[in-house]
Amino acid sequence: MSKLVDKTHRSAKTVSMQTNVGMSCDRVILKALEPVVDGLAQYFGKHFEVVLHTTEDLLHSVIKIENGSVTGRTVGAPMTDYGIEILKRAETSNDSVFDSYLTTTGDGRTLRSFAVVIRNDLGKPIGLLCFNMDMSAPLIDFLETASSKDTQSRPVPDETFPSSASDLVRASLNRALSRVEGQHSMSSTKRNRLIVAELYGMGVFDIKDATHLVAREMGVSVYTVYNYVREARFLRNQDDMSHVGSGGTGLRAAIEATTANKQNA
């Protein structure tokens, strides 16, 4: 009898430990979504509420909220009645994105809302990412958000939308060229070094087979590109140039000095 009780106790303890590990992993997943909440709220403006719920405690499910003035909620608020219904439906279906719907706040404002079910690696619903847009807000507010003066004052990045790795490398190479071409009286070796340094700083060489693609586009050997990448990595680490690839003058000066030393040797 004592052996049976001990075995039952061990089994219960194992289940409890597995549950705790699972909950910990679920929390990590939800934690990783918090910057998404910040980003979407900032992008869409003050009349667009973004809420992250956990299913761990439905009475205190809100673990992250931005622009909470839309519904008047804060962290620690409970799940909504319709949110609970969505979770129930998600338990018996594979649906994770539910159609948007209109709802009304206590003070009579109309909200356009929708919810996305967050699942863990086992497919179990562990949270909701919800969006509530205040449709009663003045149109001018939405127009001001879309044409924010703060956004206009920032430099506009020259972004492309490639359909293949080759397109991506080619676009990055063109950007690097535009940064290097302004310098005159430059040998081809120095020019290629600067181009590879710019590409390295952009993160291009994190792409699979990028070295081969860059070599082909530049008309140099793969070995040459490898050498220039090593040089850029070394100089960046030496000079702590975290801004390499965005016109870092420190790296350029180092490469120029290295080139001059080799030519004088």
Side-chain angles (χ1 to χ4, degrees):
M1 182 67 180
S2 61
K3 290 183 178 180
L4 178 61
V5 172
D6 185 55
K7 183 178 181 180
T8 303
H9 176 72
R10 287 201 305 269
S11 298
K13 187 176 181 180
T14 300
V15 170
S16 177
M17 290 176 62
Q18 291 174 341
T19 301
N20 290 337
V21 171
M23 289 175 60
S24 178
C25 292
D26 294 347
R27 290 169 185 163
V28 170
I29 294 172
L30 294 174
K31 185 72 176 177
L33 289 171
E34 290 188 4
V36 176
V37 175
D38 292 327
L40 288 173
Q42 181 178 334
Y43 182 80
F44 286 105
K46 62 184 179 181
H47 299 299
F48 188 83
E49 180 186 77
V50 188
V51 193
L52 181 61
H53 294 271
T54 176
T55 59
E56 192 173 325
D57 180 0
L58 297 182
L59 293 180
H60 306 88
S61 66
V62 177
I63 56 176
K64 176 74 174 179
I65 184 168
E66 289 296 323
N67 298 331
S69 58
V70 172
T71 61
R73 291 177 296 172
T74 59
V75 170
M79 181 77 69
T80 65
D81 48 355
Y82 189 60
I84 294 175
E85 181 180 335
I86 288 175
L87 288 171
K88 198 65 177 178
R89 288 160 56 186
E91 289 178 357
T92 56
S93 73
N94 293 323
D95 294 336
S96 291
V97 180
F98 289 82
D99 293 338
S100 62
Y101 56 93
L102 296 179
T103 188
T104 306
T105 63
D107 57 4
R109 288 175 294 115
T110 299
L111 305 182
R112 187 174 186 85
S113 308
F114 77 98
V116 178
V117 177
I118 311 302
R119 300 178 186 270
N120 61 16
D121 56 347
L122 299 177
K124 176 187 174 183
I126 61 172
L128 284 180
L129 186 58
C130 300
F131 310 90
N132 302 298
M133 179 177 286
D134 187 354
M135 304 300 290
S136 304
L139 178 60
I140 187 65
D141 285 0
F142 291 104
L143 294 176
E144 286 180 353
T145 298
S147 58
S148 171
K149 292 181 179 179
D150 182 53
T151 300
Q152 292 176 352
S153 65
R154 300 170 189 166
V156 179
D158 183 18
E159 185 176 16
T160 58
F161 301 92
S163 57
S164 66
S166 296
D167 288 346
L168 176 56
V169 169
R170 195 173 296 113
S172 299
L173 188 58
N174 287 336
R175 187 184 302 181
L177 280 168
S178 68
R179 293 172 178 172
V180 172
E181 289 296 345
Q183 301 188 29
H184 304 289
S185 304
M186 185 188 304
S187 68
S188 60
T189 299
K190 177 182 171 183
R191 175 176 173 274
N192 288 342
R193 278 188 169 135
L194 287 173
I195 290 171
V196 170
E198 291 287 351
L199 293 174
Y200 175 77
M202 293 177 194
V204 170
F205 294 105
D206 294 336
I207 303 168
K208 184 180 179 181
D209 296 329
T211 304
H212 291 76
L213 293 171
V214 169
R216 185 179 66 192
E217 292 292 332
M218 292 180 63
V220 299
S221 69
V222 173
Y223 178 76
T224 297
V225 174
Y226 273 127
N227 278 342
Y228 292 165
V229 169
R230 281 198 297 268
E231 180 180 64
R233 184 185 298 115
F234 172 76
L235 292 173
R236 179 183 180 183
N237 292 338
Q238 288 291 102
D239 201 26
D240 192 24
M241 296 293 294
S242 58
H243 57 291
V244 168
S246 56
T249 55
L251 180 78
R252 291 189 179 191
I255 288 178
E256 289 171 3
T258 302
T259 304
N261 289 338
K262 289 183 176 180
Q263 290 174 345
N264 294 332

PDB file of all heavy atoms in Angstrom, residues 181-202:
ATOM      1  N   GLU A 181      30.549  55.388 -53.850  1.00  0.00           N
ATOM      2  CA  GLU A 181      30.885  56.014 -55.126  1.00  0.00           C
ATOM      3  C   GLU A 181      31.243  57.488 -54.995  1.00  0.00           C
ATOM      4  O   GLU A 181      31.876  58.050 -55.875  1.00  0.00           O
ATOM      5  CB  GLU A 181      29.713  55.874 -56.110  1.00  0.00           C
ATOM      6  CG  GLU A 181      29.504  54.465 -56.620  1.00  0.00           C
ATOM      7  CD  GLU A 181      30.683  53.954 -57.435  1.00  0.00           C
ATOM      8  OE1 GLU A 181      31.525  54.776 -57.840  1.00  0.00           O
ATOM      9  OE2 GLU A 181      30.775  52.751 -57.655  1.00  0.00           O
ATOM     10  N   GLY A 182      30.851  58.136 -53.899  1.00  0.00           N
ATOM     11  CA  GLY A 182      31.144  59.558 -53.743  1.00  0.00           C
ATOM     12  C   GLY A 182      32.618  59.856 -53.554  1.00  0.00           C
ATOM     13  O   GLY A 182      33.042  60.998 -53.683  1.00  0.00           O
ATOM     14  N   GLN A 183      33.387  58.830 -53.240  1.00  0.00           N
ATOM     15  CA  GLN A 183      34.816  59.033 -53.022  1.00  0.00           C
ATOM     16  C   GLN A 183      35.585  58.845 -54.335  1.00  0.00           C
ATOM     17  O   GLN A 183      35.429  57.830 -55.006  1.00  0.00           O
ATOM     18  CB  GLN A 183      35.334  58.044 -51.974  1.00  0.00           C
ATOM     19  CG  GLN A 183      34.627  58.175 -50.626  1.00  0.00           C
ATOM     20  CD  GLN A 183      35.279  57.320 -49.570  1.00  0.00           C
ATOM     21  OE1 GLN A 183      36.475  57.057 -49.628  1.00  0.00           O
ATOM     22  NE2 GLN A 183      34.499  56.881 -48.601  1.00  0.00           N
ATOM     23  N   HIS A 184      36.366  59.836 -54.688  1.00  0.00           N
ATOM     24  CA  HIS A 184      37.100  59.818 -55.961  1.00  0.00           C
ATOM     25  C   HIS A 184      38.521  59.299 -55.760  1.00  0.00           C
ATOM     26  O   HIS A 184      39.001  59.131 -54.645  1.00  0.00           O
ATOM     27  CB  HIS A 184      37.126  61.222 -56.574  1.00  0.00           C
ATOM     28  CG  HIS A 184      35.747  61.797 -56.777  1.00  0.00           C
ATOM     29  ND1 HIS A 184      34.885  61.332 -57.734  1.00  0.00           N
ATOM     30  CD2 HIS A 184      35.093  62.803 -56.121  1.00  0.00           C
ATOM     31  CE1 HIS A 184      33.750  62.026 -57.688  1.00  0.00           C
ATOM     32  NE2 HIS A 184      33.853  62.930 -56.707  1.00  0.00           N
ATOM     33  N   SER A 185      39.203  59.076 -56.872  1.00  0.00           N
ATOM     34  CA  SER A 185      40.600  58.626 -56.861  1.00  0.00           C
ATOM     35  C   SER A 185      40.772  57.411 -55.950  1.00  0.00           C
ATOM     36  O   SER A 185      41.608  57.389 -55.042  1.00  0.00           O
ATOM     37  CB  SER A 185      41.531  59.770 -56.397  1.00  0.00           C
ATOM     38  OG  SER A 185      41.367  60.905 -57.197  1.00  0.00           O
ATOM     39  N   MET A 186      39.964  56.408 -56.213  1.00  0.00           N
ATOM     40  CA  MET A 186      39.977  55.220 -55.376  1.00  0.00           C
ATOM     41  C   MET A 186      40.358  54.005 -56.222  1.00  0.00           C
ATOM     42  O   MET A 186      39.816  53.804 -57.305  1.00  0.00           O
ATOM     43  CB  MET A 186      38.582  55.006 -54.775  1.00  0.00           C
ATOM     44  CG  MET A 186      38.489  53.870 -53.773  1.00  0.00           C
ATOM     45  SD  MET A 186      36.753  53.573 -53.321  1.00  0.00           S
ATOM     46  CE  MET A 186      36.269  55.186 -52.734  1.00  0.00           C
ATOM     47  N   SER A 187      41.287  53.219 -55.726  1.00  0.00           N
ATOM     48  CA  SER A 187      41.652  52.002 -56.450  1.00  0.00           C
ATOM     49  C   SER A 187      40.506  50.996 -56.362  1.00  0.00           C
ATOM     50  O   SER A 187      39.667  51.061 -55.452  1.00  0.00           O
ATOM     51  CB  SER A 187      42.920  51.393 -55.845  1.00  0.00           C
ATOM     52  OG  SER A 187      42.649  50.887 -54.540  1.00  0.00           O
ATOM     53  N   SER A 188      40.474  50.056 -57.286  1.00  0.00           N
ATOM     54  CA  SER A 188      39.404  49.052 -57.300  1.00  0.00           C
ATOM     55  C   SER A 188      39.457  48.194 -56.034  1.00  0.00           C
ATOM     56  O   SER A 188      38.416  47.784 -55.508  1.00  0.00           O
ATOM     57  CB  SER A 188      39.519  48.170 -58.544  1.00  0.00           C
ATOM     58  OG  SER A 188      40.776  47.501 -58.565  1.00  0.00           O
ATOM     59  N   THR A 189      40.684  47.930 -55.543  1.00  0.00           N
ATOM     60  CA  THR A 189      40.819  47.121 -54.321  1.00  0.00           C
ATOM     61  C   THR A 189      40.204  47.830 -53.128  1.00  0.00           C
ATOM     62  O   THR A 189      39.437  47.241 -52.358  1.00  0.00           O
ATOM     63  CB  THR A 189      42.306  46.838 -54.032  1.00  0.00           C
ATOM     64  OG1 THR A 189      42.863  46.100 -55.115  1.00  0.00           O
ATOM     65  CG2 THR A 189      42.448  46.033 -52.748  1.00  0.00           C
ATOM     66  N   LYS A 190      40.534  49.096 -52.969  1.00  0.00           N
ATOM     67  CA  LYS A 190      39.992  49.872 -51.853  1.00  0.00           C
ATOM     68  C   LYS A 190      38.473  49.991 -51.972  1.00  0.00           C
ATOM     69  O   LYS A 190      37.740  49.866 -50.978  1.00  0.00           O
ATOM     70  CB  LYS A 190      40.638  51.256 -51.840  1.00  0.00           C
ATOM     71  CG  LYS A 190      40.085  52.171 -50.764  1.00  0.00           C
ATOM     72  CD  LYS A 190      40.749  53.534 -50.862  1.00  0.00           C
ATOM     73  CE  LYS A 190      40.067  54.533 -49.942  1.00  0.00           C
ATOM     74  NZ  LYS A 190      40.642  55.888 -50.081  1.00  0.00           N
ATOM     75  N   ARG A 191      38.014  50.219 -53.199  1.00  0.00           N
ATOM     76  CA  ARG A 191      36.565  50.346 -53.451  1.00  0.00           C
ATOM     77  C   ARG A 191      35.848  49.068 -53.052  1.00  0.00           C
ATOM     78  O   ARG A 191      34.814  49.100 -52.376  1.00  0.00           O
ATOM     79  CB  ARG A 191      36.352  50.657 -54.927  1.00  0.00           C
ATOM     80  CG  ARG A 191      34.896  50.696 -55.387  1.00  0.00           C
ATOM     81  CD  ARG A 191      34.844  51.104 -56.849  1.00  0.00           C
ATOM     82  NE  ARG A 191      33.511  51.006 -57.395  1.00  0.00           N
ATOM     83  CZ  ARG A 191      32.988  49.895 -57.899  1.00  0.00           C
ATOM     84  NH1 ARG A 191      33.708  48.765 -57.890  1.00  0.00           N
ATOM     85  NH2 ARG A 191      31.762  49.884 -58.381  1.00  0.00           N
ATOM     86  N   ASN A 192      36.375  47.930 -53.460  1.00  0.00           N
ATOM     87  CA  ASN A 192      35.734  46.653 -53.141  1.00  0.00           C
ATOM     88  C   ASN A 192      35.739  46.378 -51.644  1.00  0.00           C
ATOM     89  O   ASN A 192      34.785  45.820 -51.101  1.00  0.00           O
ATOM     90  CB  ASN A 192      36.440  45.517 -53.887  1.00  0.00           C
ATOM     91  CG  ASN A 192      36.140  45.528 -55.373  1.00  0.00           C
ATOM     92  OD1 ASN A 192      35.168  46.147 -55.813  1.00  0.00           O
ATOM     93  ND2 ASN A 192      36.977  44.859 -56.158  1.00  0.00           N
ATOM     94  N   ARG A 193      36.820  46.770 -50.990  1.00  0.00           N
ATOM     95  CA  ARG A 193      36.878  46.589 -49.532  1.00  0.00           C
ATOM     96  C   ARG A 193      35.796  47.400 -48.835  1.00  0.00           C
ATOM     97  O   ARG A 193      35.151  46.925 -47.907  1.00  0.00           O
ATOM     98  CB  ARG A 193      38.258  47.006 -49.004  1.00  0.00           C
ATOM     99  CG  ARG A 193      39.317  45.927 -49.147  1.00  0.00           C
ATOM    100  CD  ARG A 193      40.566  46.388 -48.419  1.00  0.00           C
ATOM    101  NE  ARG A 193      41.510  45.292 -48.298  1.00  0.00           N
ATOM    102  CZ  ARG A 193      42.804  45.386 -48.538  1.00  0.00           C
ATOM    103  NH1 ARG A 193      43.312  46.531 -48.932  1.00  0.00           N
ATOM    104  NH2 ARG A 193      43.598  44.347 -48.388  1.00  0.00           N
ATOM    105  N   LEU A 194      35.647  48.640 -49.264  1.00  0.00           N
ATOM    106  CA  LEU A 194      34.632  49.502 -48.656  1.00  0.00           C
ATOM    107  C   LEU A 194      33.229  48.972 -48.923  1.00  0.00           C
ATOM    108  O   LEU A 194      32.358  49.009 -48.050  1.00  0.00           O
ATOM    109  CB  LEU A 194      34.771  50.931 -49.183  1.00  0.00           C
ATOM    110  CG  LEU A 194      35.973  51.728 -48.671  1.00  0.00           C
ATOM    111  CD1 LEU A 194      36.070  53.060 -49.396  1.00  0.00           C
ATOM    112  CD2 LEU A 194      35.865  51.953 -47.169  1.00  0.00           C
ATOM    113  N   ILE A 195      33.007  48.470 -50.131  1.00  0.00           N
ATOM    114  CA  ILE A 195      31.686  47.919 -50.477  1.00  0.00           C
ATOM    115  C   ILE A 195      31.367  46.718 -49.599  1.00  0.00           C
ATOM    116  O   ILE A 195      30.267  46.612 -49.033  1.00  0.00           O
ATOM    117  CB  ILE A 195      31.644  47.527 -51.975  1.00  0.00           C
ATOM    118  CG1 ILE A 195      31.669  48.772 -52.853  1.00  0.00           C
ATOM    119  CG2 ILE A 195      30.394  46.690 -52.268  1.00  0.00           C
ATOM    120  CD1 ILE A 195      31.834  48.484 -54.322  1.00  0.00           C
ATOM    121  N   VAL A 196      32.320  45.815 -49.453  1.00  0.00           N
ATOM    122  CA  VAL A 196      32.103  44.623 -48.621  1.00  0.00           C
ATOM    123  C   VAL A 196      31.902  45.030 -47.166  1.00  0.00           C
ATOM    124  O   VAL A 196      31.076  44.446 -46.455  1.00  0.00           O
ATOM    125  CB  VAL A 196      33.274  43.632 -48.759  1.00  0.00           C
ATOM    126  CG1 VAL A 196      33.168  42.512 -47.726  1.00  0.00           C
ATOM    127  CG2 VAL A 196      33.296  43.040 -50.170  1.00  0.00           C
ATOM    128  N   ALA A 197      32.647  46.057 -46.711  1.00  0.00           N
ATOM    129  CA  ALA A 197      32.480  46.532 -45.335  1.00  0.00           C
ATOM    130  C   ALA A 197      31.071  47.071 -45.115  1.00  0.00           C
ATOM    131  O   ALA A 197      30.441  46.814 -44.082  1.00  0.00           O
ATOM    132  CB  ALA A 197      33.511  47.610 -45.020  1.00  0.00           C
ATOM    133  N   GLU A 198      30.567  47.811 -46.105  1.00  0.00           N
ATOM    134  CA  GLU A 198      29.197  48.319 -46.005  1.00  0.00           C
ATOM    135  C   GLU A 198      28.198  47.163 -45.968  1.00  0.00           C
ATOM    136  O   GLU A 198      27.271  47.154 -45.157  1.00  0.00           O
ATOM    137  CB  GLU A 198      28.894  49.241 -47.195  1.00  0.00           C
ATOM    138  CG  GLU A 198      29.640  50.552 -47.189  1.00  0.00           C
ATOM    139  CD  GLU A 198      29.104  51.528 -46.145  1.00  0.00           C
ATOM    140  OE1 GLU A 198      28.044  51.259 -45.543  1.00  0.00           O
ATOM    141  OE2 GLU A 198      29.757  52.561 -45.922  1.00  0.00           O
ATOM    142  N   LEU A 199      28.393  46.185 -46.835  1.00  0.00           N
ATOM    143  CA  LEU A 199      27.497  45.025 -46.883  1.00  0.00           C
ATOM    144  C   LEU A 199      27.537  44.249 -45.575  1.00  0.00           C
ATOM    145  O   LEU A 199      26.510  43.773 -45.087  1.00  0.00           O
ATOM    146  CB  LEU A 199      27.870  44.109 -48.048  1.00  0.00           C
ATOM    147  CG  LEU A 199      27.650  44.675 -49.452  1.00  0.00           C
ATOM    148  CD1 LEU A 199      28.211  43.713 -50.503  1.00  0.00           C
ATOM    149  CD2 LEU A 199      26.168  44.924 -49.711  1.00  0.00           C
ATOM    150  N   TYR A 200      28.726  44.143 -45.010  1.00  0.00           N
ATOM    151  CA  TYR A 200      28.870  43.443 -43.731  1.00  0.00           C
ATOM    152  C   TYR A 200      28.081  44.164 -42.641  1.00  0.00           C
ATOM    153  O   TYR A 200      27.377  43.542 -41.841  1.00  0.00           O
ATOM    154  CB  TYR A 200      30.345  43.350 -43.345  1.00  0.00           C
ATOM    155  CG  TYR A 200      30.564  42.742 -41.982  1.00  0.00           C
ATOM    156  CD1 TYR A 200      30.463  41.368 -41.788  1.00  0.00           C
ATOM    157  CD2 TYR A 200      30.856  43.540 -40.877  1.00  0.00           C
ATOM    158  CE1 TYR A 200      30.654  40.805 -40.524  1.00  0.00           C
ATOM    159  CE2 TYR A 200      31.047  42.994 -39.628  1.00  0.00           C
ATOM    160  CZ  TYR A 200      30.950  41.623 -39.448  1.00  0.00           C
ATOM    161  OH  TYR A 200      31.122  41.078 -38.203  1.00  0.00           O
ATOM    162  N   GLY A 201      28.202  45.492 -42.604  1.00  0.00           N
ATOM    163  CA  GLY A 201      27.478  46.270 -41.613  1.00  0.00           C
ATOM    164  C   GLY A 201      25.974  46.220 -41.790  1.00  0.00           C
ATOM    165  O   GLY A 201      25.221  46.366 -40.837  1.00  0.00           O
ATOM    166  N   MET A 202      25.522  46.007 -43.021  1.00  0.00           N
ATOM    167  CA  MET A 202      24.082  45.883 -43.283  1.00  0.00           C
ATOM    168  C   MET A 202      23.536  44.524 -42.851  1.00  0.00           C
ATOM    169  O   MET A 202      22.328  44.321 -42.806  1.00  0.00           O
ATOM    170  CB  MET A 202      23.810  46.052 -44.787  1.00  0.00           C
ATOM    171  CG  MET A 202      24.082  47.420 -45.349  1.00  0.00           C
ATOM    172  SD  MET A 202      23.788  47.375 -47.140  1.00  0.00           S
ATOM    173  CE  MET A 202      24.567  48.907 -47.633  1.00  0.00           C
TER     174      MET A 202
END
